């Protein structure tokens, strides 16, 4: 399995609007792509921004390419992202994983 994690942030004033938009774009599209095992969304407020982390778990690289195209390391963006003031990392993090468990629920005490 391979995890693919995207990060972007929006001004807090757009947090709810972008959250709703992300649910109907990135989350739905990943979940509907054949080969997606699971998709998780985490939102963390920091200062004046809400940071969004979308982690999707995939069967293999071929499945990721069904979603992201032939350059799966490049972030997938959507037409209305700019309306929310989105600052998107241009690259995503991909790594092999042994579990489809939610990476945002580590259970670790920090």
């Amino acid at each position: 399995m391979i995890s693919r994690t995207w990060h972007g942030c929006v001004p807090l004033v757009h947090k709810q609007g972008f959250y709703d938009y992300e649910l109907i774009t990135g989350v739905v599209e990943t979940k509907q792509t054949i080969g997606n095992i699971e998709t998780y969304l985490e939102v963390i407020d920091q200062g004046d921004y809400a940071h969004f982390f979308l982690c999707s778990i995939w069967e293999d690289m071929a499945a990721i390419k069904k979603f992201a195209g032939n350059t799966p390391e490049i972030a997938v963006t959507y037409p209305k992202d700019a309306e929310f003031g989105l600052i998107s990392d241009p690259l995503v993090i991909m790594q092999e994983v042994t579990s489809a468990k939610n990476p945002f629920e580590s259970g670790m005490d920090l």
Side-chain angles (χ1 to χ4, degrees):
M1 291 181 291
I2 302 170
S3 71
R4 182 179 189 275
T5 304
W6 166 82
H7 166 256
C9 62
V10 299
L12 284 176
V13 68
H14 294 302
K15 176 183 175 178
Q16 187 62 52
F18 187 73
Y19 178 83
D20 295 342
Y21 184 63
E22 186 65 18
L23 289 179
I24 63 171
T25 56
V27 172
V28 166
E29 190 174 338
T30 57
K31 284 182 174 265
Q32 290 179 345
T33 303
I34 295 172
N36 175 259
I37 296 170
E38 191 56 82
T39 301
Y40 304 99
L41 180 63
E42 176 81 353
V43 183
I44 299 171
D45 294 349
Q46 184 178 44
D48 295 332
Y49 290 89
H51 292 261
F52 287 76
F53 299 89
L54 181 67
C55 180
S56 48
I57 311 294
W58 300 88
E59 292 175 355
D60 53 30
M61 189 59 70
I64 293 173
K65 287 182 177 182
K66 290 176 190 173
F67 168 72
N70 288 328
T71 53
E73 68 278 3
I74 303 296
V76 173
T77 58
Y78 294 92
K80 294 184 180 181
D81 286 349
E83 293 178 24
F84 299 99
L86 175 66
I87 301 168
S88 176
D89 285 341
L91 301 176
V92 299
I93 296 169
M94 291 188 292
Q95 57 193 5
E96 289 190 31
V97 295
T98 58
S99 169
K101 181 181 172 197
N102 185 342
F104 306 119
E105 294 179 357
S106 67
M108 295 173 43
D109 292 324
L110 301 176

